[in-house]
Amino acid sequence: VEPHGPVCKLLHLHLIMEVLPTYMDVEHSRAYIDQLYSNDSHKCFQAVSELKFAVIGSVREKGTIIEQGVVVRLLQILRSSELDILLKTEVVTVLNSLAKGLPEHASSLVQAGLLPALWEQIETCAGGSGTSAYTQMILCCLRSVYRQGCAPPPPSWDHKLLTTLIQHGYHPPSNQECVANILAHACKTCEQQQQLVDAGGADLVACMLCSPVSRVQLPALHCLAAMCYKNERVSSILATKSYGGKAVPDLLVGLMARDRPRDMQLAAATSLTFLHRAGALSADDPKIIFKTLQCLVRMCRRDREVWERVEAANTLAYLTEVSTELQRTAAMTDHLIHTMNDYLKDTTSSAGASAPQGICGSPISCRQYDNPSTWPELMLEAALKVYASLGANDEDIRQRVIKTDGLMNTIVTSLSAACPAVQLAAVRCLHSLSRSVHTLRTTFQDHMVWRPLMTVLKTSSSEELVTVASSTLCNLLLEFSPSKEHILDQGAVEFLCGLTRRPHPGLRLNAVWALMNMAFQAEHRVKVSILHHLGTDQIFRLLSDTDVHILMKTLGLLRNLLSTKGHIDQIMQCHGKEIMQAIILILEGEHSAEVKEQALCILANIADGDMAKNAIMSNEDVLKKLMNYMVIPNVKLQIAATFCISNLIWNVEEGAAERQNKLRDMGVYKLLQNLMTTTDTALFDKVKTALQQFH
Amino acid sequence: KMATSSGRCSVEPPLFGPHTGHDPIKALYPMVNEEETPLPRCWSSKDKYSFIGLTQNNLRVHYKGHGKNHKDAASVRATNPIPAACGLYYYEVKIVSKGRDGYMGIGLSSQGVNMNRLPGWDKNSFGYHGDDGHSFCSSGSGHPYGPTFTTGDVIGCGINLIDNVCFYTKNGHYLGVAFTDLPPQLYPTVGLQTPGEVVDANFGQAPFVFDIGEMMRESQCRVRTTIQNFPVPDTYGQWQTMLHRMVSTYLVHHGYCATAEAFARSTSQDFDEELTSIKNRQKIQKLVLGGRLGEAIETVQQLYPGLLENNHNLLFMLKVRQFIEMVNGTDTEVRGVSRSPSRPPTHESSPSPPCWSNGRTTDPVPGTSSTPPSSSTTSTPVIQQHTSVIQSTKNVISSGQTSASPVTTEELNQRNAQDLRASSPPSATNGTTPVIHLPVPSGSSSSSSSSSSTSSNSSSNMHDSDTEMECMEANSHHLQETNNSLGDTSHSNGFSNGFSKDIDIQDDENEEAMEVENSVGSRKMCGGNPDAIGRMLAFGKEVQHMSQVLRRELGKNDHNKKILQDAFSLLAYNDPWNSPVGWQLDPLQREPVCQSLNSAILESHHLPRRPPLEICVAHTKQLISLMSRSGIGSCAFASVDSLLGSQQ
């Protein structure tokens, strides 16, 4: 039953007597709709009143009224400047009631242009008292629309409007509730978060947290969470705000106490989690590691509502995603690993459940729990995310997670699930678990996880999914992983080389990384295949990538390709020219010492080949560069360059004397002798070895 | 909303002793009656295996055996089993040293379980072991439970006596439920097995690492919700009618005449008693509570002829009280002569607490007679001063008074009065201040917001939501406040209610009375009037005579003998107010007398001696103490007073 509030009751009590009998008579004919268009404001008012009584509490009636296009007329009344405020209030009451119907109803109101009309009205009566019934009603209506989750937040707030809204947020409680809800739902982007803080939103939220009214506190918490989500700047401001002598984080802990309503506990825990992840509170802060963590784990328990459990698990996964300390604590708190196993199995319990009423999750998960048939999926997703976070860093926890009954099977089946969110969670989980050497060798092999993983990679269009999946693939391609061969058989080379051409830098990085791992101590045919599919053009492109990580991994790939004499010679024979060009490109470019070191190491590898040596020896420019690097004040680069020289002049090899002579003529010998004075032992050893090669 | 008036119940279960801040263990478990079920406070020096050594007030346990194998394991139990009335019990053990192998077990066991074992290995024994982190539930083989623990760790063991489950904590982190379906009467138990193992126990004497308080509040919240949501059969509105009936009989019983009338009108009920009768009783009660016993007896004899004649013990009680009031200087017999500027400050009492007149303030003297806090503050600074003349003189001499003439009692009294002033908060209306601090659990005076001790962090319901807020469609939110002090002061509700109301009103008469009040310096027996003293002594003889007659006619009566003795003892002191028997002069003591008289009148009219509401409250309290004795843990969170307080 939808309550219609005392505001309209009080205002129009005298009218009810007058209106009701007429209403009864015309109930079925809806004659009052015609009167809506009347120019007589009294008649119009009566019609709106009748409309109000018709729509309040009846979803069917709301739908019909919207279908009949009445909304347009209502908005027209709203915008007309000469019409009475009493009539307008009545109109907004009707609109509010309509907005409280199905989400579709709210959507069609938004499409009809409700929001700008309401904002306009708020502005118009901004000068008047905030407690006026009209303003209150407008705020209520905005609140109802936003809570339906179908209203797009304004791309950017109008500062004046935002300031007005925040002013309304201080008094009375009904307005506070509305403003908190609106802000919570309309704060999505980093820009909006900043705007909100700039307009005084942080102080308002701190004030509302101290409200004695839980219906203000709860949306205030949601608003706070929305403001500080992934926003370091805003979070640090909020964390230092205080109200009534208590800092916001302490207020949040108070609202998270066990005897608070559960939705409040959850919302407070979410806010603290976001503050932590945005760097405003450290992981070892008791408010985080004791209070927030315990609260969230508690909320995952079986005796809670499904939506609470899902929400709590998702937040918990986010809370523990990075910090090893939090992961360890969570793993031992209240049988969490075991509790999550329940989530995996809890697939039937909600089958017959009806749609829950009055779920007040955060705006982030708005309307997510409307359909009970999706609950098992949501639980599965949440649990997999928790497992992914728990197992991210600690091998002990990872082993405990893997031993969870049926988890591996669930992951494998979830990889091919229809729901992308579940797939993503499964891949995340797999990624965490793939950091274990032991698991790679045993469990992953037993479950042939590479098969569904490759399918995901090849079929998914979601960048996020492919990023995590390719990251997992990197680990599966490590040389000790038995999956490596199978993955190669699945056409991984071609796929990964394709991936290096994607615009998303994360994808390119993972692809090169995977190729690098793949090339490590690989058979010749694999290396040839990589070079073939990647192509030298693409190598050049990757080497000029703006992302230094990609550049480093590409050099690593080259290094891995150019290892062992036989391979070096063969590869240099085919691609020597391009490779040398690439190296020169790097050595001449403006790069960090690490990058250049990698390039020098590749040169050293090339110098290890038999024929490949000529590629360097014949290029005086490169030789001069090498000599140059031997004397620059960076030990790592000096070592790499000396190592390369040492390979070039290696004694037992054919043509060594000739090369030695050439280099001696160029002054390398003298350089080396000079370097003998170095204090760096590693460099000294390299220099000594090199000198010993000279006859 | 109703006034709790446990002070009027003769049977008071000993469940709610006053909170003593000095005993943190007791403070954790307020519903435990330690006379019946003492709390575990240390390890038992008897109930332990010989390989266990105890030090530091039996709180530190160390191992002193060979520690070769599991046959050398040794345990110790706490002095007492965990009382069910704890609701949620918790203790912590700090591992001071893990010794050689760290084979330590922490848990619970029943009495009689073999102590040559680690907790958990035998039937009715439960333990969490440090070496492997396993939990042992009456079995030699454990189950993986939690992390291992070692030197420096603090392990907590909690038992939820409502659900009968046990959980552990490690360094303040909750590890989850370890055991379910626990038997009753378990003792905290630790076991050690290798040399060098040392652990310290914290039974609550020091703050815990884990936040158990919050968990308790959660349990409290749960129990309260269960109670509030308990379904009542309400066919044809009988339940509602019954509740109305209870309220109205309560009001009638105590003579809240106008309130009763208004209530009856709004709930369309009838009285069982005529309005005039109620008013008569009210009048008598006013007189008794005002300390004007002589007039009260006269009025009773006039209005209810035969009542006192047929009830000699009651008459005797009234007469003894009259005697006390004469000493006090309040009874009419001595009052006329004793009216002087030196009226005793705390004992000149208003003829009636204003609440009886339902807000029509007649002659209140706030802060004097009927307010327990003021009288309690009186006694504190005064008792140390002196109890008799001789002592006081000594005190004064020893404190350096060289003057030959000893300080008179009057001067001392003046000092006392000054002390009293000094000890009360600096406020213009000196006498009234203590009243304001009284919690007022009844709804009748909700206007005085300063008196309700609502916890500041509570999220309270928005009272005005019905009238002002269109959009507040969700269900209402309960107040989450704890009103702990309620239990201590509830017996004076009627008075405090009336007073806080009167403070707001402050009519002329009130101010006048206060003016007199503030000029008073000392108090003397019978107001210091020799005539009155004579009358008092004569009356004393009369009462003594009556006692002898009674004894002859009705046989020996210990109660009568005692009250007479106590009353006469007042004469032994020069300053009876500060004497060991001075409590009798406390106006609060008029209440039981008033109560008995009221009950007798009602009974003579074939009406119940006690109102059903009070019987119901008393019943509930009895049931809760019965729950405690029967091992039902939820009684810990079902305190009647806090429950009623929470519904403000």
Side-chain angles (χ1 to χ4, degrees), chain B residues 321 328 347 369 372 375-376 582-590:
Chain B
R321 188 67 216 175
N328 223 346
H347 299 85
S369 55
S375 52
S376 67
W583 55 269
Q584 296 177 91
L585 297 167
D586 188 337
L588 204 63
Q589 298 301 322
R590 293 169 191 156

Side-chain angles (χ1 to χ4, degrees), chain B residues 121-383:
Chain B
W121 286 350
D122 297 295
K123 196 173 179 331
N124 289 332
S125 174
F126 308 88
Y128 166 35
H129 293 193
D131 56 319
D132 55 5
H134 286 187
S135 65
F136 289 74
C137 178
S138 305
S139 154
S141 54
H143 290 282
Y145 167 68
T148 58
F149 55 87
T150 183
T151 307
D153 285 331
V154 175
I155 302 300
C157 175
I159 170 166
N160 180 330
L161 295 139
I162 301 173
D163 306 331
N164 285 317
V165 298
C166 164
F167 62 87
Y168 289 92
T169 66
K170 181 185 172 181
N171 299 327
H173 299 294
Y174 178 75
L175 300 182
V177 168
F179 311 111
T180 57
D181 303 311
L182 294 172
Q185 297 285 310
L186 290 170
Y187 291 71
T189 309
V190 292
L192 307 174
Q193 199 187 298
T194 66
E197 291 169 1
V198 184
V199 299
D200 277 350
N202 178 5
F203 291 108
Q205 72 272 14
F208 289 123
V209 176
F210 179 71
D211 188 352
I212 192 70
E214 207 190 301
M215 217 171 179
M216 289 208 181
R217 286 194 291 280
E218 187 189 29
S219 294
Q220 179 129 34
C221 194
R222 246 177 67 202
V223 170
R224 190 164 290 174
T225 311
T226 312
I227 295 172
Q228 279 162 356
N229 295 343
F230 191 79
V232 284
D234 193 14
T235 18
Y236 317 118
Q238 283 166 353
W239 180 256
Q240 190 66 28
T241 313
M242 188 164 77
L243 291 179
H244 285 159
R245 197 90 198 112
M246 283 176 92
V247 173
S248 106
T249 46
Y250 175 84
L251 294 171
V252 168
H253 186 99
H254 292 294
Y256 294 101
C257 216
T259 316
E261 261 185 291
F263 185 79
R265 216 179 309 125
S266 64
T267 56
S268 30
Q269 293 182 88
D270 307 319
F271 299 143
D272 289 339
E273 193 184 2
E274 269 182 55
L275 211 58
T276 45
S277 167
I278 301 172
K279 282 186 173 149
N280 284 340
R281 285 194 294 109
Q282 192 185 26
K283 190 174 160 196
I284 293 163
Q285 287 183 329
K286 268 185 199 175
L287 291 170
V288 175
L289 291 170
R292 291 149 69 176
L293 265 293
E295 285 172 68
I297 294 169
E298 256 172 58
T299 315
V300 173
Q301 280 163 342
Q302 202 181 351
L303 291 171
Y304 304 98
L307 178 77
L308 293 177
E309 287 78 354
N310 293 329
N311 197 339
H312 296 286
N313 284 332
L314 180 63
L315 180 61
F316 182 70
M317 189 203 265
L318 292 173
K319 293 263 186 194
V320 172
R321 188 67 216 175
Q322 187 178 359
F323 175 78
I324 295 167
E325 295 303 345
M326 287 171 98
V327 174
N328 223 346
T330 37
D331 193 72
T332 337
E333 288 279 317
V334 296
R335 210 179 172 192
V337 278
S338 68
R339 251 187 213 284
S340 70
S342 61
R343 253 190 333 185
T346 46
H347 299 85
E348 163 56 39
S349 92
S350 58
S352 81
C355 57
W356 302 110
S357 59
N358 293 323
R360 277 177 276 119
T361 48
T362 47
D363 45 0
V365 185
T368 57
S369 55
S370 325
T371 56
S374 69
S375 52
S376 67
T377 39
T378 320
S379 58
T380 344
V382 169
I383 278 170

Side-chain angles (χ1 to χ4, degrees), chain A residues 551-617:
Chain A
L551 176 54
M552 284 292 279
K553 295 300 168 198
T554 311
L555 291 170
L557 168 64
L558 283 175
R559 227 178 126 177
N560 285 350
L561 288 172
L562 293 165
S563 72
T564 69
K565 269 186 202 299
H567 294 174
I568 296 169
D569 285 336
Q570 286 178 40
I571 291 169
M572 286 304 286
Q573 206 167 7
C574 304
H575 308 284
K577 200 177 147 206
E578 293 87 349
I579 290 174
M580 286 309 286
Q581 263 180 7
I583 293 166
I584 291 167
L585 181 82
I586 297 299
L587 289 178
E588 286 179 349
E590 297 211 352
H591 293 291
S592 65
E594 284 80 29
V595 174
K596 302 216 164 169
E597 187 192 1
Q598 281 294 320
L600 290 171
C601 287
I602 297 169
L603 273 185
N605 279 12
I606 294 170
D608 191 37
D610 288 329
M611 265 96 82
K613 285 187 173 67
N614 289 331
I616 302 173
M617 289 309 293

Side-chain angles (χ1 to χ4, degrees), chain A residues 3 6 212 215 258 260 291 335, chain B residues 177 211 218 457 460 466 472:
Chain A
R215 263 173 295 171
R258 281 164 172 253
R260 293 280 179 178
K291 296 290 182 181
H335 312 293
Chain B
V177 168
D211 188 352
E218 187 189 29
N457 65 342
S460 76
D466 292 339
M472 296 294 173

Side-chain angles (χ1 to χ4, degrees), chain A residues 356-519:
Chain A
Q357 289 297 309
I359 284 183
C360 199
S362 65
I364 294 164
S365 57
C366 186
R367 306 225 77 92
Q368 210 183 332
Y369 309 104
D370 282 3
N371 184 0
S373 67
T374 64
W375 289 354
E377 253 173 20
L378 290 172
M379 291 194 77
L380 178 60
E381 183 201 344
L384 289 172
K385 280 200 223 160
V386 170
Y387 281 134
S389 289
L390 288 181
N393 299 329
D394 188 289
E395 178 66 19
D396 268 359
I397 301 176
R398 227 174 264 143
Q399 289 311 317
R400 281 172 63 201
V401 168
I402 288 166
K403 281 186 196 127
T404 302
D405 212 22
L407 176 62
M408 280 313 295
N409 284 331
T410 308
I411 293 177
V412 170
T413 43
S414 302
L415 283 174
S416 25
C419 168
V422 172
Q423 268 188 311
L424 179 60
V427 176
R428 277 189 194 286
C429 195
L430 202 63
H431 179 235
S432 265
L433 299 178
S434 72
R435 290 180 183 155
S436 157
V437 178
H438 178 75
T439 308
L440 284 178
R441 284 186 171 151
T442 56
T443 321
F444 278 20
Q445 185 61 10
D446 298 344
H447 286 88
M448 300 193 285
V449 294
W450 42 269
R451 204 175 272 169
L453 186 67
M454 283 305 291
T455 316
V456 167
L457 280 167
K458 285 178 177 170
T459 54
S460 173
S461 55
S462 153
E463 268 185 356
E464 197 183 3
L465 186 56
V466 176
T467 309
V468 187
S470 54
S471 203
T472 315
L473 197 64
C474 285
N475 291 340
L476 287 168
L477 284 169
L478 287 168
E479 99 279 7
F480 47 77
S481 161
S483 310
K484 191 172 175 177
E485 277 306 307
H486 300 290
I487 295 170
L488 286 172
D489 293 345
Q490 297 267 317
V493 175
E494 197 177 351
F495 172 77
L496 287 171
C497 291
L499 216 54
T500 62
R501 294 184 176 87
R502 295 281 277 267
H504 191 275
L507 289 180
R508 290 203 301 274
L509 175 66
N510 286 346
V512 178
W513 198 329
L515 287 170
M516 183 185 88
N517 286 353
M518 195 190 270

Side-chain angles (χ1 to χ4, degrees), chain A residues 248-257 268 272 287 291-292, chain B residues 214:
Chain A
V248 164
D250 295 320
L251 290 172
L252 293 174
V253 169
L255 294 172
M256 202 169 57
L272 282 162
K287 290 189 270 295
K291 296 290 182 181
T292 308
Chain B
E214 207 190 301

